């Protein structure tokens, strides 16, 4: 059984593709593509905007949501969807500014 704490961000770096954001996560043996909907990106903070910088800044937050979904068995064909409803249910406004990988990626302009 996979433990949520075993899921980490991995390559490729977060990116926007059409309307949605994409990040990759792994448990060391499996890689999942996490699709963060446009609405979910906008719901993570105020003002609502869909930018690569926001996707990167909140990558660890989205990873945590994806890890919980994976543990619940909600992944389909190696993909996990993060929706606005999932973001709102987790109260992202209560988060302090993430640091970790998201901060390093944002500083490097990736």
């Amino acid at each position: 059984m996979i433990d949520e704490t075993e899921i980490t961000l991995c390559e490729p770096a977060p990116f926007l593709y059409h309307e949605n954001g994409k990040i990759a996560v792994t448990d060391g043996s499996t890689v999942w593509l996490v699709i963060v909907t446009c609405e979910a990106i906008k719901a993570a903070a105020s003002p609502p905007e869909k930018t690569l910088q926001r996707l990167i800044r909140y990558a660890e937050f989205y990873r945590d949501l994806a890890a919980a979904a994976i543990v619940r068995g909600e992944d389909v064909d190696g993909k996990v969807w993060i929706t606005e409803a999932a973001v709102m249910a987790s109260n992202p406004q209560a988060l302090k500014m993430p640091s970790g990988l998201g901060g390093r990626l944002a500083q490097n302009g990736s």
Side-chain angles (χ1 to χ4, degrees):
M1 178 165 175
I2 298 172
D3 180 357
E4 286 181 44
T5 61
E6 296 172 355
I7 306 291
T8 60
L9 294 169
C10 64
E11 294 294 329
F15 63 97
L16 294 176
Y17 185 74
H18 293 289
E19 287 297 311
N20 301 316
K22 313 252 174 144
I23 63 173
V25 299
T26 186
D27 65 356
S29 62
T30 302
V31 175
W32 291 270
L33 178 64
V34 180
I35 303 161
V36 185
T37 67
C38 173
E39 295 80 13
I41 296 169
K42 290 178 180 180
S46 189
E49 60 184 11
K50 181 194 82 175
T51 63
L52 179 58
Q53 290 76 22
R54 179 164 295 173
L55 181 65
I56 292 168
R57 183 174 299 130
Y58 289 91
E60 292 177 345
F61 169 68
Y62 300 128
R63 176 216 49 212
D64 292 346
L65 293 177
I70 292 166
V71 168
R72 291 190 302 268
E74 296 173 0
D75 55 308
V76 177
D77 295 329
K79 296 178 184 164
V80 179
W81 287 81
I82 303 299
T83 63
E84 178 183 22
V87 170
M88 296 308 292
S90 65
N91 192 18
Q93 286 75 23
L95 296 174
K96 64 178 192 171
M97 183 62 69
S99 52
L101 177 61
R104 286 194 301 275
L105 288 173
Q107 289 171 356
N108 293 333
S110 298

